[in-house]
Amino acid sequence: MATDTPLRPADSAAFDEDRGSQARPVPPASGWAPRLRRLIGIEEPLLAWVPEERTRYTWYGALVVNTALLGALSMVLALSSFRSDLPLAAVVGVAVIWFWVVLALDSWLVSSTHGTTVRKWTLAVRFFLSVLLGLFIAEPILFQIFDKEIRQEIAVGNEQKVADYRGMLVSCNPTDGAATTDRPECARYQLKVAGSPAELARQIRTNGDRTAALRTQVADINKTLDDKLATEQRLCGPKYWIWRGGVRDVTITCERARKATSEYEKNSKVKTYEKQLQAMVDHGQALSARKDRAADDYQPLLQKAIDDKTRQRAADLDTDGILTRAHGLKEVAASDGFALFLTIVLHLLLLCLDAMPVLAKVLSGATTYDTLLGARHRTSRRLFAEELEVQHTCARLEHDVQRHRVRLDTDDRMRRLEHEHQRAQAERAARERAELEERMGRIMRARRSVTNPL
């Protein structure tokens, strides 16, 4: 009857099978999920003990990949906005490199948080790093979202800058050509336009001053020359003639006066000065004629110079630079309350998306996997400490063996040395005894030969 009695109830088989399905560790997983978990430093053999958390860490890895993809998209948008001259291959290459950088950084940030020994301040530091990365990723996306408004704001701002610049050019360059050097604000806005009425008036004044000075110089020379000619005529007149060779002739004083007049006329260069004076008078008349026409000719030239500088200023203004677009975004946000609210919300949203890998770790707290990993870390430290202790003990015992071996070898060598020393002493004593006996024999033979002569 005992052999017919079942060892366990019939309804316990299902329970045992269910327990068999919960055996730990579970078989390793396959597919793309383990690869996602491997990106964030998850060890599959350890996770096999808590398979319930596989889904969490799979989506955790997906968050890291999504952040890297968002960073690559942000880099593409940034390069296409700020460097539109780059070829597509260069843009794609830089985006791929930036994808890898963001992926590696986020993977390190997440993998370094595994385990129960991670402190809150280290999580805060990692979160701060992720926020910095998020700011760099979020800005190009915001620029693209508000692209139309930013471009409009930049265009309006540039138009205002150009209008202000043109206004300063007009203010600092009057149509009559009057100088504005006494105005400090006009130092960077003064134009050099030839033929202005004020410039011509200045040239006329300068030419008139030089003409007057030269005319005075020529008049002085002519007055001196007239005085010399009058002296010459007086000394060479009939009143001063003398009889020489039966005819009337001038005196030596007359000849000296004529010579002095000729040398003065030659050395004073009065003819040259008179030609220069006439040229200055003609140049002054020409300048006066140009001044009469300058009112009609100068204004078109000045207008053309102002237009050229204005066009150059408009061409030099930046429209796609990152700082210009950042300033445009600030102006857009400051000009409308809803735009400011939307900018802040989008900033926070993109920052949360970029910082989500670390933020998710902060929010989720320690998991069973972290507990197991921490336990394994502690076990590894204990095993390593025990291994070090075993190695230390073995090394100490090995040193004891070597010390004992050296001690025995030393004792053996000391005994050998003592035996060799005793043997050397015995041999030396034997040699001395043999030498003494030989000397004694020689002495005895010598005595016998003395006492028993032949």
Side-chain angles (χ1 to χ4, degrees), residues 344-411:
I344 295 175
V345 170
L346 288 176
H347 261 105
L348 293 177
L349 177 60
L350 292 175
L351 284 178
C352 288
L353 289 177
D354 297 332
M356 186 56 69
V358 176
L359 189 61
K361 185 66 178 181
V362 175
L363 296 177
S364 62
T367 63
T368 306
Y369 175 82
D370 292 327
T371 304
L372 296 180
L373 185 61
R376 195 175 72 172
H377 287 168
R378 292 189 295 272
T379 302
S380 299
R381 286 194 294 270
R382 287 197 301 269
L383 290 176
F384 182 73
E386 292 176 359
E387 178 66 20
L388 288 179
E389 185 177 356
V390 169
Q391 293 179 5
H392 177 70
T393 303
C394 293
R396 187 177 65 253
L397 294 175
E398 182 66 25
H399 291 165
D400 293 340
V401 170
Q402 292 180 0
R403 190 181 300 109
H404 186 63
R405 182 184 294 109
V406 170
R407 186 182 300 110
L408 293 179
D409 183 64
T410 302
D411 294 341

Side-chain angles (χ1 to χ4, degrees), residues 16 20 38 46 98 113 116 132 143 167 171 175 187 198 203 221 223 244 263 275 295 347 353 359:
D16 291 341
R38 195 176 300 119
L46 184 60
W98 184 239
T113 61
T116 57
L132 290 181
F143 291 158
S171 175
T175 55
Q203 294 180 11
I221 294 174
K223 183 178 181 301
R244 183 180 296 170
E263 289 179 353
K275 291 180 181 179
H347 261 105
L353 289 177
L359 189 61

